[in-house]
Amino acid sequence: MAPGIVGARRQNGVVTAEPRPWLAPSASGPATATVRLPGSKSMTARALVLAALADGPSVIEAPLRARDTTLMSAGLRALGVGVDTSADDRWVVEPGPLRGPARVDVGLAGTIMRFLPPAAALAEGTVEFDGDPHARNRPLRPIVEALRSLGVGIEASPSGGLPLTVRGAGLVEGGEAVIDASGSSQFVSGLLLSAPRFTKGLVLRHEGPPVPSAPHLRMTTHMLRAAGAVVDESVPDVWTVEPGSLHGRTWTIEPDLSGAVPFFAAAMVTGGSVTLAGWPAASWQPVERLSELLTELGAEVTRTADGLTVRGTGSLHGITADLSEVSELTPVLSALAALADGPSELRGVEHIRGHETDRIRALATELSKAGAEVTEFPDGLRIEPRPLHGTTFETYADHRMAHAAAVIGLTVTGIQLSDVSCTSKTLPEFPELWAGLVARS
């Protein structure tokens, strides 16, 4: 994070946020810009864990520097890993023997609370995990029970979540485990990332409703293989990871696709054009599904050597969509649906009730306050566009809720965010980047 970013501050090397009310700026014309965004949070988190467990040093190029990733780096340092984040564009990870005692602050990050306990089980000593107040409400029991079944000593809260204590024995025997990962694909990813270091590797079987966010699971297995792991996912809902070394390497992080979505939405709402610069020819993120959804909503999406471009066509259409693979997009797509020319149904995302907040309930509440007619389902929303008006849009310490409010504020005056600093979770520069985009409209 560059010095001087408003709404975020550093304490002991960790980005923390201070509540900051913010009036979402309205656009006076088409938003047209080329934006350069930091790296993917999901890829940065996975690269950090794989580098920490590798047999030699790694370099992470173009990482995301935000609250989630600085807390992840701090958690790995607490476990004895050398993580040099002094350069914004190039982090160096020097693996070392994992050790306790240690305390890990997860903030509100699902990646930390689900990726680091399996790694902590490989440490010698006790590792304690806790985080923001709402982090204690985020589901964690499935990964706790899976680790216990593998012989790991863990003490959890009565709900099976934070605060959590892992009593590392220096190794995990591994073997076979069964998990219900219908609440989050991160339960699977967290176990797979450490599995090559288990003495017997891991055969992990999912039993339950479908696992959401399949692209994130594919990202995990792709990155494991890139680090030298042998992974078999040929049997549905079964992942087999052979024991073996993970190799240090250079990771080049793609721009964050989820972080780009509000900027693409700005082009759609205002009839402009936004290009995400630096987009790779081949991606580990769900760009095809995003392109399909934005096209159905009324955008034109193209990929060229210049990047990924979204153009508004002057109209927004209601859609019926299963978002189970791209649930992170639900808040911004809900905002677009509230501004569309017809009703939308967005389903398949029951698991986002366990994200930074209950996103389904929060979206229903805040969009209704702004004037939309919203029906809440267990797994999603039906949104009937109505004339919208200004309101105070609660963000619930959730960066995606802030993004949704900012999109609505482009065409609805008087949308006041209760706190925009929550965007520091994944993009501390968001308020300034957004204001700059709107100023060019």
Short mmCIF file of all heavy atoms in Angstrom, two decimals, residues 22-73:
data_model
loop_
_atom_site.label_atom_id
_atom_site.label_comp_id
_atom_site.label_asym_id
_atom_site.label_seq_id
_atom_site.Cartn_x
_atom_site.Cartn_y
_atom_site.Cartn_z
N TRP A 22 -18.53 7.69 3.68
CA TRP A 22 -18.11 8.13 2.33
C TRP A 22 -19.34 8.31 1.47
O TRP A 22 -20.19 7.42 1.38
CB TRP A 22 -17.20 7.05 1.75
CG TRP A 22 -16.46 7.39 0.49
CD1 TRP A 22 -15.50 8.32 0.31
CD2 TRP A 22 -16.60 6.71 -0.77
NE1 TRP A 22 -15.01 8.28 -0.98
CE2 TRP A 22 -15.67 7.29 -1.67
CE3 TRP A 22 -17.40 5.66 -1.24
CZ2 TRP A 22 -15.53 6.87 -3.00
CZ3 TRP A 22 -17.26 5.24 -2.55
CH2 TRP A 22 -16.34 5.84 -3.41
N LEU A 23 -19.45 9.47 0.83
CA LEU A 23 -20.53 9.72 -0.12
C LEU A 23 -20.09 9.22 -1.48
O LEU A 23 -19.11 9.72 -2.05
CB LEU A 23 -20.86 11.21 -0.18
CG LEU A 23 -21.98 11.61 -1.14
CD1 LEU A 23 -23.31 11.02 -0.67
CD2 LEU A 23 -22.08 13.13 -1.25
N ALA A 24 -20.80 8.22 -2.00
CA ALA A 24 -20.43 7.65 -3.30
C ALA A 24 -20.60 8.71 -4.38
O ALA A 24 -21.66 9.32 -4.50
CB ALA A 24 -21.29 6.44 -3.60
N PRO A 25 -19.57 8.94 -5.19
CA PRO A 25 -19.68 9.96 -6.23
C PRO A 25 -20.58 9.50 -7.37
O PRO A 25 -20.61 8.32 -7.73
CB PRO A 25 -18.23 10.13 -6.71
CG PRO A 25 -17.55 8.84 -6.38
CD PRO A 25 -18.22 8.33 -5.14
N SER A 26 -21.32 10.45 -7.94
CA SER A 26 -22.19 10.16 -9.08
C SER A 26 -21.49 10.55 -10.37
O SER A 26 -20.71 11.51 -10.42
CB SER A 26 -23.51 10.93 -8.95
OG SER A 26 -24.21 10.50 -7.81
N ALA A 27 -21.75 9.78 -11.42
CA ALA A 27 -21.12 10.03 -12.72
C ALA A 27 -21.94 11.02 -13.52
O ALA A 27 -23.18 10.98 -13.52
CB ALA A 27 -20.99 8.72 -13.49
N SER A 28 -21.26 11.92 -14.23
CA SER A 28 -21.94 12.89 -15.08
C SER A 28 -21.91 12.48 -16.54
O SER A 28 -22.53 13.15 -17.39
CB SER A 28 -21.27 14.27 -14.93
OG SER A 28 -19.89 14.20 -15.25
N GLY A 29 -21.20 11.40 -16.87
CA GLY A 29 -21.11 10.94 -18.24
C GLY A 29 -20.51 9.55 -18.28
O GLY A 29 -20.32 8.92 -17.23
N PRO A 30 -20.18 9.05 -19.46
CA PRO A 30 -19.60 7.70 -19.57
C PRO A 30 -18.24 7.61 -18.85
O PRO A 30 -17.39 8.47 -19.01
CB PRO A 30 -19.44 7.49 -21.08
CG PRO A 30 -20.40 8.46 -21.70
CD PRO A 30 -20.42 9.65 -20.79
N ALA A 31 -18.08 6.56 -18.08
CA ALA A 31 -16.79 6.30 -17.43
C ALA A 31 -15.91 5.53 -18.41
O ALA A 31 -16.24 4.42 -18.81
CB ALA A 31 -17.00 5.48 -16.16
N THR A 32 -14.82 6.15 -18.82
CA THR A 32 -13.92 5.56 -19.80
C THR A 32 -12.50 5.64 -19.27
O THR A 32 -11.99 6.74 -19.01
CB THR A 32 -14.02 6.29 -21.15
OG1 THR A 32 -15.39 6.22 -21.61
CG2 THR A 32 -13.13 5.63 -22.20
N ALA A 33 -11.88 4.49 -19.09
CA ALA A 33 -10.55 4.49 -18.49
C ALA A 33 -9.88 3.14 -18.69
O ALA A 33 -10.52 2.13 -18.95
CB ALA A 33 -10.64 4.80 -17.00
N THR A 34 -8.57 3.15 -18.56
CA THR A 34 -7.78 1.93 -18.42
C THR A 34 -7.28 1.89 -16.99
O THR A 34 -6.69 2.85 -16.50
CB THR A 34 -6.58 1.93 -19.39
OG1 THR A 34 -7.07 1.90 -20.73
CG2 THR A 34 -5.70 0.72 -19.15
N VAL A 35 -7.59 0.81 -16.30
CA VAL A 35 -7.21 0.71 -14.89
C VAL A 35 -6.16 -0.39 -14.72
O VAL A 35 -6.18 -1.40 -15.41
CB VAL A 35 -8.43 0.41 -13.99
CG1 VAL A 35 -9.42 1.55 -14.04
CG2 VAL A 35 -9.12 -0.89 -14.39
N ARG A 36 -5.25 -0.14 -13.81
CA ARG A 36 -4.25 -1.13 -13.42
C ARG A 36 -4.50 -1.46 -11.96
O ARG A 36 -4.41 -0.58 -11.10
CB ARG A 36 -2.84 -0.59 -13.64
CG ARG A 36 -2.52 -0.34 -15.10
CD ARG A 36 -1.07 0.08 -15.32
NE ARG A 36 -0.80 0.26 -16.74
CZ ARG A 36 -0.44 -0.72 -17.56
NH1 ARG A 36 -0.29 -1.95 -17.08
NH2 ARG A 36 -0.22 -0.49 -18.84
N LEU A 37 -4.82 -2.69 -11.70
CA LEU A 37 -5.18 -3.10 -10.36
C LEU A 37 -4.13 -4.03 -9.77
O LEU A 37 -3.40 -4.71 -10.52
CB LEU A 37 -6.54 -3.82 -10.37
CG LEU A 37 -7.74 -2.96 -10.78
CD1 LEU A 37 -9.01 -3.79 -10.71
CD2 LEU A 37 -7.87 -1.72 -9.90
N PRO A 38 -4.05 -4.08 -8.45
CA PRO A 38 -3.10 -5.01 -7.81
C PRO A 38 -3.46 -6.46 -8.12
O PRO A 38 -4.50 -6.76 -8.73
CB PRO A 38 -3.27 -4.70 -6.32
CG PRO A 38 -3.92 -3.37 -6.25
CD PRO A 38 -4.76 -3.26 -7.48
N GLY A 39 -2.61 -7.35 -7.67
CA GLY A 39 -2.77 -8.76 -7.97
C GLY A 39 -3.95 -9.40 -7.27
O GLY A 39 -4.52 -8.87 -6.31
N SER A 40 -4.30 -10.58 -7.74
CA SER A 40 -5.40 -11.35 -7.19
C SER A 40 -5.14 -11.73 -5.74
O SER A 40 -4.08 -12.26 -5.40
CB SER A 40 -5.58 -12.63 -8.03
OG SER A 40 -6.29 -13.62 -7.32
N LYS A 41 -6.15 -11.48 -4.90
CA LYS A 41 -6.05 -11.89 -3.50
C LYS A 41 -5.92 -13.40 -3.40
O LYS A 41 -5.11 -13.94 -2.64
CB LYS A 41 -7.28 -11.43 -2.72
CG LYS A 41 -7.29 -11.89 -1.27
CD LYS A 41 -8.65 -11.73 -0.62
CE LYS A 41 -9.61 -12.81 -1.09
NZ LYS A 41 -10.87 -12.84 -0.31
N SER A 42 -6.75 -14.11 -4.16
CA SER A 42 -6.76 -15.57 -4.08
C SER A 42 -5.42 -16.16 -4.50
O SER A 42 -4.92 -17.09 -3.85
CB SER A 42 -7.88 -16.12 -4.97
OG SER A 42 -9.14 -15.66 -4.54
N MET A 43 -4.84 -15.65 -5.58
CA MET A 43 -3.55 -16.17 -6.03
C MET A 43 -2.43 -15.79 -5.08
O MET A 43 -1.54 -16.59 -4.80
CB MET A 43 -3.25 -15.65 -7.44
CG MET A 43 -4.09 -16.27 -8.53
SD MET A 43 -3.57 -15.73 -10.18
CE MET A 43 -1.96 -16.52 -10.27
N THR A 44 -2.46 -14.56 -4.56
CA THR A 44 -1.42 -14.13 -3.62
C THR A 44 -1.44 -15.00 -2.37
O THR A 44 -0.39 -15.44 -1.89
CB THR A 44 -1.60 -12.66 -3.24
OG1 THR A 44 -1.58 -11.84 -4.42
CG2 THR A 44 -0.50 -12.19 -2.30
N ALA A 45 -2.62 -15.28 -1.83
CA ALA A 45 -2.73 -16.09 -0.62
C ALA A 45 -2.18 -17.49 -0.86
O ALA A 45 -1.43 -18.03 -0.03
CB ALA A 45 -4.18 -16.15 -0.16
N ARG A 46 -2.55 -18.10 -1.97
CA ARG A 46 -2.08 -19.45 -2.26
C ARG A 46 -0.57 -19.46 -2.50
O ARG A 46 0.13 -20.38 -2.05
CB ARG A 46 -2.84 -20.00 -3.47
CG ARG A 46 -4.28 -20.41 -3.15
CD ARG A 46 -5.13 -20.52 -4.40
NE ARG A 46 -6.47 -21.04 -4.10
CZ ARG A 46 -7.46 -20.31 -3.57
NH1 ARG A 46 -7.24 -19.02 -3.28
NH2 ARG A 46 -8.64 -20.85 -3.33
N ALA A 47 -0.07 -18.46 -3.22
CA ALA A 47 1.37 -18.40 -3.47
C ALA A 47 2.15 -18.26 -2.17
O ALA A 47 3.21 -18.89 -2.00
CB ALA A 47 1.69 -17.24 -4.42
N LEU A 48 1.64 -17.48 -1.22
CA LEU A 48 2.33 -17.31 0.05
C LEU A 48 2.42 -18.64 0.81
O LEU A 48 3.47 -19.00 1.35
CB LEU A 48 1.61 -16.26 0.91
CG LEU A 48 1.86 -14.80 0.55
CD1 LEU A 48 0.86 -13.89 1.26
CD2 LEU A 48 3.29 -14.39 0.93
N VAL A 49 1.31 -19.38 0.85
CA VAL A 49 1.31 -20.65 1.59
C VAL A 49 2.22 -21.67 0.90
O VAL A 49 3.03 -22.34 1.56
CB VAL A 49 -0.12 -21.19 1.73
CG1 VAL A 49 -0.10 -22.57 2.39
CG2 VAL A 49 -0.98 -20.23 2.55
N LEU A 50 2.11 -21.79 -0.42
CA LEU A 50 2.96 -22.75 -1.14
C LEU A 50 4.43 -22.39 -1.01
O LEU A 50 5.29 -23.27 -0.86
CB LEU A 50 2.54 -22.80 -2.61
CG LEU A 50 1.17 -23.44 -2.88
CD1 LEU A 50 0.76 -23.22 -4.33
CD2 LEU A 50 1.19 -24.93 -2.54
N ALA A 51 4.73 -21.09 -1.04
CA ALA A 51 6.13 -20.66 -0.87
C ALA A 51 6.63 -20.96 0.53
O ALA A 51 7.79 -21.36 0.72
CB ALA A 51 6.25 -19.17 -1.18
N ALA A 52 5.78 -20.80 1.53
CA ALA A 52 6.18 -21.06 2.91
C ALA A 52 6.47 -22.54 3.15
O ALA A 52 7.28 -22.89 4.01
CB ALA A 52 5.08 -20.60 3.86
N LEU A 53 5.82 -23.43 2.38
CA LEU A 53 5.99 -24.87 2.57
C LEU A 53 6.97 -25.48 1.58
O LEU A 53 7.15 -26.70 1.56
CB LEU A 53 4.62 -25.56 2.42
CG LEU A 53 3.56 -25.16 3.45
CD1 LEU A 53 2.23 -25.83 3.13
CD2 LEU A 53 3.99 -25.49 4.87
N ALA A 54 7.62 -24.63 0.77
CA ALA A 54 8.50 -25.12 -0.29
C ALA A 54 9.87 -25.53 0.26
O ALA A 54 10.21 -25.25 1.41
CB ALA A 54 8.65 -24.06 -1.37
N ASP A 55 10.66 -26.15 -0.62
CA ASP A 55 12.00 -26.60 -0.24
C ASP A 55 13.09 -25.58 -0.55
O ASP A 55 14.27 -25.86 -0.39
CB ASP A 55 12.32 -27.93 -0.92
CG ASP A 55 12.24 -27.84 -2.45
OD1 ASP A 55 12.06 -26.73 -2.99
OD2 ASP A 55 12.34 -28.90 -3.10
N GLY A 56 12.69 -24.40 -1.00
CA GLY A 56 13.64 -23.34 -1.30
C GLY A 56 12.91 -22.02 -1.43
O GLY A 56 11.68 -21.96 -1.33
N PRO A 57 13.65 -20.92 -1.62
CA PRO A 57 13.03 -19.61 -1.66
C PRO A 57 12.13 -19.42 -2.88
O PRO A 57 12.31 -20.08 -3.91
CB PRO A 57 14.22 -18.65 -1.71
CG PRO A 57 15.35 -19.47 -2.23
CD PRO A 57 15.11 -20.86 -1.76
N SER A 58 11.18 -18.53 -2.73
CA SER A 58 10.26 -18.17 -3.81
C SER A 58 10.18 -16.67 -3.93
O SER A 58 10.43 -15.92 -2.96
CB SER A 58 8.85 -18.73 -3.56
OG SER A 58 8.83 -20.13 -3.59
N VAL A 59 9.79 -16.21 -5.11
CA VAL A 59 9.53 -14.79 -5.37
C VAL A 59 8.09 -14.66 -5.83
O VAL A 59 7.62 -15.45 -6.66
CB VAL A 59 10.49 -14.23 -6.44
CG1 VAL A 59 10.09 -12.81 -6.83
CG2 VAL A 59 11.92 -14.28 -5.95
N ILE A 60 7.38 -13.69 -5.28
CA ILE A 60 6.01 -13.42 -5.68
C ILE A 60 6.00 -12.05 -6.35
O ILE A 60 6.24 -11.03 -5.70
CB ILE A 60 5.04 -13.46 -4.48
CG1 ILE A 60 5.14 -14.81 -3.78
CG2 ILE A 60 3.61 -13.18 -4.94
CD1 ILE A 60 4.29 -14.92 -2.52
N GLU A 61 5.76 -12.04 -7.65
CA GLU A 61 5.76 -10.81 -8.43
C GLU A 61 4.34 -10.27 -8.57
O GLU A 61 3.40 -11.04 -8.78
CB GLU A 61 6.37 -11.05 -9.81
CG GLU A 61 7.85 -11.43 -9.77
CD GLU A 61 8.44 -11.64 -11.14
OE1 GLU A 61 7.65 -11.84 -12.10
OE2 GLU A 61 9.68 -11.62 -11.26
N ALA A 62 4.21 -8.96 -8.46
CA ALA A 62 2.92 -8.26 -8.58
C ALA A 62 1.89 -8.76 -7.58
O ALA A 62 0.73 -9.01 -7.93
CB ALA A 62 2.38 -8.36 -10.01
N PRO A 63 2.28 -8.94 -6.30
CA PRO A 63 1.32 -9.43 -5.31
C PRO A 63 0.31 -8.35 -4.94
O PRO A 63 0.50 -7.16 -5.24
CB PRO A 63 2.21 -9.75 -4.12
CG PRO A 63 3.31 -8.74 -4.21
CD PRO A 63 3.57 -8.58 -5.68
N LEU A 64 -0.75 -8.77 -4.28
CA LEU A 64 -1.69 -7.82 -3.70
C LEU A 64 -1.20 -7.44 -2.31
O LEU A 64 -0.96 -8.30 -1.46
CB LEU A 64 -3.08 -8.46 -3.58
CG LEU A 64 -4.10 -7.63 -2.77
CD1 LEU A 64 -4.46 -6.34 -3.49
CD2 LEU A 64 -5.34 -8.45 -2.46
N ARG A 65 -1.05 -6.14 -2.09
CA ARG A 65 -0.77 -5.65 -0.74
C ARG A 65 -2.06 -5.05 -0.19
O ARG A 65 -2.48 -3.98 -0.61
CB ARG A 65 0.34 -4.61 -0.74
CG ARG A 65 0.73 -4.17 0.68
CD ARG A 65 1.69 -3.00 0.68
NE ARG A 65 2.98 -3.32 0.11
CZ ARG A 65 3.98 -3.91 0.78
NH1 ARG A 65 3.80 -4.27 2.04
NH2 ARG A 65 5.14 -4.14 0.19
N ALA A 66 -2.69 -5.76 0.68
CA ALA A 66 -3.95 -5.33 1.30
C ALA A 66 -4.04 -6.00 2.66
O ALA A 66 -3.15 -6.78 3.05
CB ALA A 66 -5.14 -5.69 0.42
N ARG A 67 -5.11 -5.73 3.39
CA ARG A 67 -5.18 -6.23 4.75
C ARG A 67 -5.09 -7.76 4.81
O ARG A 67 -4.34 -8.32 5.63
CB ARG A 67 -6.47 -5.77 5.43
CG ARG A 67 -6.48 -6.11 6.93
CD ARG A 67 -7.74 -5.70 7.63
NE ARG A 67 -7.59 -5.93 9.06
CZ ARG A 67 -8.52 -6.48 9.84
NH1 ARG A 67 -9.68 -6.84 9.34
NH2 ARG A 67 -8.31 -6.66 11.13
N ASP A 68 -5.83 -8.45 3.94
CA ASP A 68 -5.82 -9.91 4.00
C ASP A 68 -4.43 -10.48 3.76
O ASP A 68 -4.01 -11.43 4.44
CB ASP A 68 -6.78 -10.48 2.94
CG ASP A 68 -8.23 -10.45 3.40
OD1 ASP A 68 -8.54 -9.76 4.39
OD2 ASP A 68 -9.05 -11.13 2.76
N THR A 69 -3.71 -9.94 2.79
CA THR A 69 -2.41 -10.52 2.44
C THR A 69 -1.31 -10.09 3.40
O THR A 69 -0.36 -10.85 3.63
CB THR A 69 -2.03 -10.16 1.00
OG1 THR A 69 -2.10 -8.75 0.82
CG2 THR A 69 -2.98 -10.84 0.02
N THR A 70 -1.41 -8.90 3.98
CA THR A 70 -0.42 -8.52 4.99
C THR A 70 -0.61 -9.32 6.27
O THR A 70 0.36 -9.69 6.94
CB THR A 70 -0.45 -7.01 5.28
OG1 THR A 70 -1.79 -6.61 5.59
CG2 THR A 70 0.04 -6.21 4.09
N LEU A 71 -1.87 -9.62 6.61
CA LEU A 71 -2.11 -10.49 7.76
C LEU A 71 -1.64 -11.90 7.48
O LEU A 71 -1.11 -12.58 8.37
CB LEU A 71 -3.60 -10.48 8.13
CG LEU A 71 -4.12 -9.24 8.85
CD1 LEU A 71 -5.64 -9.29 8.98
CD2 LEU A 71 -3.48 -9.08 10.22
N MET A 72 -1.82 -12.39 6.26
CA MET A 72 -1.31 -13.71 5.90
C MET A 72 0.21 -13.74 6.03
O MET A 72 0.79 -14.68 6.59
CB MET A 72 -1.72 -14.07 4.48
CG MET A 72 -1.16 -15.41 3.97
SD MET A 72 -1.92 -16.86 4.73
CE MET A 72 -3.35 -17.04 3.63
N SER A 73 0.87 -12.70 5.52
CA SER A 73 2.33 -12.63 5.63
C SER A 73 2.76 -12.61 7.09
O SER A 73 3.72 -13.29 7.49
CB SER A 73 2.85 -11.38 4.91
OG SER A 73 2.52 -11.40 3.54
#
